Amino acid sequence: EAGVAQSPRYKIIEKRQSVAFWCNPISGHATLYWYQQILGQGPKLLIQFQNNGVVDDSQLPKDRFSAERLKGVDSTLKIQPAKLEDSAVYLCASSFGITIYFGEGSWLTVV
Amino acid sequence: QQQVKQSPQSLIVQKGGISIINCAYENTAFDYFPWYQQFPGKGPALLIAIRPDVSEKKEGRFTISFNKSAKQFSLHIMDSQPGDSATYFCAVPRGGGGADGLTFGKGTHLIIQP
């Protein structure tokens, strides 16, 4: 069974530029999450989708972050404009039931 | 906002020894307590989880112990091996029914010395 796919794996951008990350969840998983993991910390939930609807985006900095999940499958997370403190790993995850499966993450460095 | 406190922050154990990592939570609407393992450059992966109809669950060298009254649970790694060197995260459900994602602890960086 294929896992959660993410791209790009690595991205370096200058502050105030924009970046987009893509995620393809495990087939059949209705729930999709984007987590932010800053170096040395645990993952922090940014947004949760159920099919193509947003369940929880309370911790998403909406002035610069946006996410969508069209057709209830793939998802994109966009940051515009990026700040230095956005340097982190962006983890996409999906679940069917209680177990959450993570992708390998997209590493963002903002310089 | 659910708080999850994990300790220690880092741990060094000799090969063959027992590694113990602890987690404390404030409250949860759904009893499900997982531990995730993360290797450098990889995403976290579920290692073991417990639903507290039991106080302990064992899978191979890994054991979760749960104390509901104290709101604590712990991970024990018996006969620790160098391949166990990784970062470990405990987590608790964010909402009822377990369908609202997880809140993670800050992680424990475990090093097993040969």
Side-chain angles (χ1 to χ4, degrees), chain A residues 9-10 31 33 35 37 40-45 48 50 55-56 58-59 91 97-105 107, chain B residues 1 9 30-32 36 38 40-46 51 89 93-94 97-107:
Chain A
R9 287 296 317 278
Y10 306 95
T31 308
Y33 313 84
Y35 279 83
Q37 186 176 23
Q41 297 185 20
K44 170 190 165 186
L45 181 68
Q48 177 184 346
Q50 182 72 20
V55 174
D56 184 354
S58 58
Q59 299 189 87
L91 294 163
I98 201 164
T99 301
I100 293 178
Y101 299 88
F102 285 88
E104 294 198 330
W107 293 64
Chain B
Q1 181 78 25
Q9 196 170 11
F30 188 79
D31 287 342
Y32 168 74
Y36 277 75
Q38 185 176 31
K42 303 293 186 181
L46 179 66
R51 293 202 189 191
F89 296 96
R94 297 183 67 248
D100 294 331
L102 299 169
T103 296
F104 286 83
K106 291 188 175 182

Side-chain angles (χ1 to χ4, degrees), chain A residues 70-88:
Chain A
L70 299 177
K71 301 181 181 178
V73 181
D74 294 3
S75 178
T76 57
L77 175 71
K78 296 179 181 178
I79 307 173
Q80 180 180 16
K83 292 186 175 181
L84 296 177
E85 59 260 37
D86 297 333
S87 295

